[in-house]
Structure formats: C-alpha cells, structure tokens
Amino acid sequence: MDRLRIEGGRSLAGAVRVSGAKNAALPALAACLLTGSEVRLDNVPDVWDVGTLVKLLDGLGARAERLGTHRWAVSTPEIASPEAPYDLVRKMRASVLVLGPLVARAGRARVSLPGGCAIGARPIDRHLEGLRQLGAEIRLEHGYVEARAERLTGALVDFPDVTVTGTENLMMAATLARGTTVLTNAAREPEVVDLARLLRGMGARIDGAGTSVITIEGVEALGPCEHRVIADRIEAGTYLIAAAITGGKVTLEDCEPGHLRAVLEALAKVGLRVETGPSWIRIGNGRPLRAIDLATEPYPGFPTDLQAQFMVLMTQAGGSSTIDETIFESRFMHVPELRRMGASIDLAGHAARVEGPTPLTGAEVTASDLRASACLVLAALAARGETVVHRVYHLDRGYEAIEKKLAGLGARVERLSDR
Ligand code: UD1
C-alpha cells in the first residue's frame, strides 16, 4: 500500500490544471450501456474509480477502449451479463449507477447491494423505489438487487430527499422508457446537468436538468455521441484550500468557477482574495484567516465532498467555527486524525466545532475515505515537520496525480511504495 510523505510549511505557488470530474465521468461511463453505438468521452480523469467502472463495464459486455490518457471509446453491442458483482460494488458504491441503464437496455439487472461504508449507511432505497415506480419488479436476494422490466414505463417520481446518483440512475433509466417521466426534488448538481447533456447528445429527450424538476420523454433507442466531461469542482476546491492554508498564491486552470460559487463565497468570507475568469480561478494570500460557520447542503450549497478539507482550513483561522454536516450522518472520520496533528475540534451530533488557529505538527496518519484523505494531505501541507499519510489508495480513487500536481506548486511531497 502506498503512502505519501509530506514535508509541511511551504507556501504553494503557480498554476495547476483541474482534471475532469470523477463524479461526472462515472455516470457518463454507465450511460454508455444505454446504446449499441460508440460513445466517445473526453476529459475523463485518470483515477482508480474510473478503472473500477471500466472493469465493471467490461464484465457486462461493453468494450471500453482507451484512446489517450483522458479519452475513452465505449461500445456495448449487447449486454452479455447484466450483473454488477459484490467485489466491484464493494470497492466503489457508484457502481450502482449501472442499475438504471441495465434495466432500461437489457430488461434485467443484478447488482450487489453496496452495504455500509466509511461515511455512513448510504442506502439505495430511493433508486429502487424510483425504478419500481417506472414499473420494474425489484427483489432483494443474497445481498443483490434483482430488477426486471420488459420495458420501463414513464412515471412521476418524487424523491423524498435529494440524491445525486439516484437522480442520475432514474434519468438514465427513463431515457428508454415508454412515455414521459417527471423527476421532482431532483438533484441539481453540475454532474447531473453534464449527464443530461451527454444523454441528449445520444438522442435522449430531457428538460430541466439543473433544476429540481427534470422531465424525460422516453425514446426507442439512443445513438453515438462525443462528449467532454466537465471539470472536477471538488478537486478544484481542494487545491484552492491547499493554497489558502499555506498562505500561497495559486491559479487553477481549465475549471468552471460557476460550479464553485458557494465555495468561493466561503473562502472570501474567510478573508481570501479570489478572482475568477471564464475558466480559471486565482486565489491569493489573505492572512489573517477568519473562522466562519458553514453547513453542507445539496448543490448549489456548500458540497459535503469539501467539508473535511474546509475543516482543516478552519483549524488555521482565528476564532471558533461550527461546521454542520447535513448530508451524511457520520462523515467526521478525519477528526481524530486531525486532533493527533494538533487541531482542536469538538464533535456534537452532526456538527463539528473548530477552535483556531492551532499550530499543526506532522504525524503518521491514516486515510479512511476519499475526501478525508484529501483533508489529511492539506493538514500535512500546513503542518510543521513531516507527515506520512497511509492508505493513499483512497486518494488515488478520486484525485489524479495528486503528488505531481502538488509538487508542481512547490510542495515537498513524495510517494512511498511497498511494491
Ligand atoms: C454523490 C457523490 C458523492 C457526494 C454525494 C453528496 C457520486 C458518484 N458521488 O453520492 O461524492 O458526497 O453525492 O453530494 O456522484 N440516501 C438514502 N437513500 C438513497 C440514496 C441516498 O438514504 O437511496 C441518503 C444518503 O445516505 C445520504 C444522502 O441521501 O445521506 C445523499 O446521498 P446521495 O446524494 O445519494 O449521494 P451519492 O449519490 O451516493
């Protein structure tokens, strides 16, 4: 298992290119199952989760060919076996994104239930209820979801709470259903909008993506398409915080500032100088940093996927900050590790209270999930001395070439491999 060794205390400076969004690339790859024609995807990030989904597609009968570091061509002449096995779903919950496309295209799917994960129970009941409303027969057996439908039928699906992959699964399923589907209380995330753009390119009829009501008129078949995946707003936010926490000056290139409004507003309130252009964001030194309160919310609110990283920033800000995690019930796995590095954080239910500024010192720490690992890397950049982050595979799931990108900005970071 790889580790990262980081020598903290250096201000980051320079420019970094933001990769394509993992959370947009995964549904895009799953959507390729909806057609027998070739779909070409560009700006796909070179991260492990993409590799996992490609492996899953391969087992289902798709041919995914890599045309370049970030370019893929996927075609699925037919679904060979509509099964997503435990081994892959266990590695990556987003594997559940193949459920909707499989039922819609093959009339049948067998997908392992994801089970618990480090950040809470994360059930998929709303995906299943939605598919039932489209007429699928759903059974849970031996830890698997078995879904069947000769052809799905359009329906009104009202989500009791916002779910991102739930919205994506249902939107994909509905593209091939008979009649019209209306999704209400749908997720408004940019990744949902990007998926709708891809599906429309393939010939789907979708209106309202980006709002909480999405209307999908089913069609008989979908066709070929070329699509460029949007930039990763979470990766972008992570590098902005890396710059902020080290008192650095960094320009992000190839990003979409409009997708980061809540994050940029929070950073400005903390006292950082943020400038934006059409596809770039520049963040400048803003010491002293001020503590602010924050709550995670569905888009356009502050993303839960940047909560852990923002918490590290608050350890370096003056005053007391309350961070309310409203999306996931137990997404504070990073807190004990941050405390070991010197942070002062109290937990009460779904809120964390951070007192700052506290000097951080390097330590050996262990990553527990993707975003928690990113937060430990940020803490290491701000800390005095050396930090070793264990279980870096969590980071590799979603951050492309993180040590190279950080080193390019002047960080002292090195990957240690046991292999
Ligand atoms: C997606 C993102 C993830 C992000 C999350 C919230 C991908 C691949 N992943 O995850 O990075 O952290 O959105 O922005 O895009 N829930 C249920 N039943 C369901 C579905 C969800 O109870 O059927 C709950 C979840 O446990 C969670 C909340 O709803 O508490 C939101 O989850 P959801 O939006 O579905 O997250 P994901 O789509 O899994």
Side-chain angles (χ1 to χ4, degrees), residues 3 15 27 163 278 309 351 370 390 409:
R3 289 156 290 151
T163 158
Q309 299 90 316
L370 172 56
H390 292 264
L409 294 172

Side-chain angles (χ1 to χ4, degrees), residues 240-399:
L240 289 174
I241 295 173
I245 206 167
T246 60
K249 232 183 191 174
V250 167
T251 303
L252 305 187
E253 293 168 348
D254 288 346
C255 62
E256 180 48 76
H259 294 166
L260 281 144
R261 216 162 281 151
V263 177
L264 299 183
E265 271 170 29
L267 291 172
K269 274 201 224 154
V270 170
L272 293 146
R273 247 181 314 128
V274 181
E275 285 173 84
T276 59
S279 63
W280 55 264
I281 304 175
R282 192 171 302 133
I283 185 160
N285 202 335
R287 308 253 150 172
L289 305 173
R290 289 188 296 269
I292 65 163
D293 294 336
L294 189 90
T296 61
E297 280 163 11
Y299 191 83
F302 191 94
T304 172
D305 285 349
L306 284 172
Q307 178 256 106
Q309 299 90 316
F310 195 82
M311 194 180 294
V312 185
L313 184 61
M314 288 300 94
T315 69
Q316 300 309 297
S320 155
S321 155
T322 302
I323 298 179
D324 212 346
E325 173 55 63
T326 74
I327 309 288
F328 291 111
E329 83 252 38
S330 57
R331 200 172 203 183
F332 289 132
M333 303 286 284
H334 46 288
V335 170
E337 294 301 78
L338 290 179
R339 283 193 191 124
R340 292 183 53 242
M341 295 178 75
S344 165
I345 305 171
D346 282 325
L347 291 180
H350 47 72
R353 197 181 165 88
V354 187
E355 297 295 337
T358 47
L360 300 177
T361 54
E364 293 212 32
V365 290
T366 300
S368 55
D369 72 56
L370 172 56
R371 306 305 171 186
S373 340
C375 117
L376 295 177
V377 170
L378 296 179
L381 293 173
R384 188 164 42 81
E386 181 184 292
T387 295
V388 176
V389 182
H390 292 264
R391 300 204 183 187
V392 169
Y393 64 85
H394 286 295
L395 267 179
D396 294 330
R397 287 189 42 204
Y399 286 90

Side-chain angles (χ1 to χ4, degrees), residues 88 97 185-186 232 243 303 317 368 379 392 401:
L88 290 175
L97 281 165
N185 200 22
D232 196 313
S368 55
V392 169

Side-chain angles (χ1 to χ4, degrees), residues 218-231:
V219 296
E220 292 298 320
L222 296 175
C225 175
E226 289 207 21
H227 178 80
R228 185 178 167 82
V229 171
I230 53 168

Side-chain angles (χ1 to χ4, degrees), residues 23 26 93-94 122-127 162-165 189 304-305 327-328 331:
N23 285 354
L26 298 175
R93 289 188 84 258
R122 298 183 85 175
I124 56 161
D125 53 315
R126 293 172 207 147
H127 303 228
V162 174
T163 158
V164 178
T165 49
E189 267 67 4
T304 172
D305 285 349
I327 309 288
F328 291 111
R331 200 172 203 183

